[in-house]
Amino acid sequence: ALAQVVELDGLAANCEVRPIAGDRCALSPCNARFGGEGSPRAMFAALHFTMRMGESGQQVAAAVRAVAAALAPFGARPHWGKLFNADAKFVSSVYGPAQHPDCAAFWSAVLEWDPAAKFRNGLFDSVARGGVANAKL
């Protein structure tokens, strides 16, 4: 799928593939619940790209969008600490309050501990406010 992403040509300095065992962290992209029913030993592949220095933000953003589109058919989920291209609807569908009790507790804590939204962006605020009221803690 990535061979078709022409936006990476000349932009990616390298691509690293890491095998990662499933975990029990609700907000993890490698949570075992994403491995399918009856899959306690789920394994995941994480893709990491290093972009060349000096490239424009527009080029990097275009590459991130293209990679996300290419990997979407495989159920790819973004890592919270990396650059990604996903809207609130998608983030809510995999990490939103309704997805897991621990996710609901996290988003509720986000709103409680950061009432002035100094440490969250519009995306996270939308996810937190969009579902906490409907979540069962």
Side-chain angles (χ1 to χ4, degrees):
L2 293 176
Q4 306 303 317
V5 180
V6 297
E7 291 84 351
L8 287 173
D9 290 347
L11 185 62
N14 62 47
C15 174
E16 178 183 359
V17 180
R18 295 180 189 170
I20 300 176
D23 57 42
R24 295 180 159 266
C25 301
L27 294 170
S28 169
C30 298
N31 184 284
R33 76 179 184 274
F34 297 125
E37 288 298 317
S39 182
R41 293 199 169 116
M43 291 295 294
F44 299 88
L47 302 176
H48 299 265
F49 297 93
T50 302
M51 302 299 180
R52 296 191 188 284
M53 296 296 295
E55 300 301 331
S56 79
Q58 290 176 335
Q59 287 176 296
V60 171
V64 169
R65 283 191 301 273
V67 167
L71 297 178
F74 303 101
R77 292 167 302 283
H79 182 290
W80 292 97
K82 306 295 182 189
L83 183 62
F84 63 87
N85 179 51
D87 61 15
K89 182 178 178 182
F90 176 80
V91 173
S92 290
S93 75
V94 290
Y95 304 120
Q99 302 309 312
H100 190 279
D102 289 346
C103 293
F106 170 79
W107 291 113
S108 183
V110 164
L111 293 173
E112 179 183 345
W113 296 342
D114 186 20
K118 293 196 181 272
F119 298 101
R120 62 181 186 263
N121 60 22
L123 172 68
F124 282 20
D125 196 55
S126 177
V127 173
R129 292 187 185 286
V132 169
N134 300 326
K136 296 177 183 173
L137 298 176

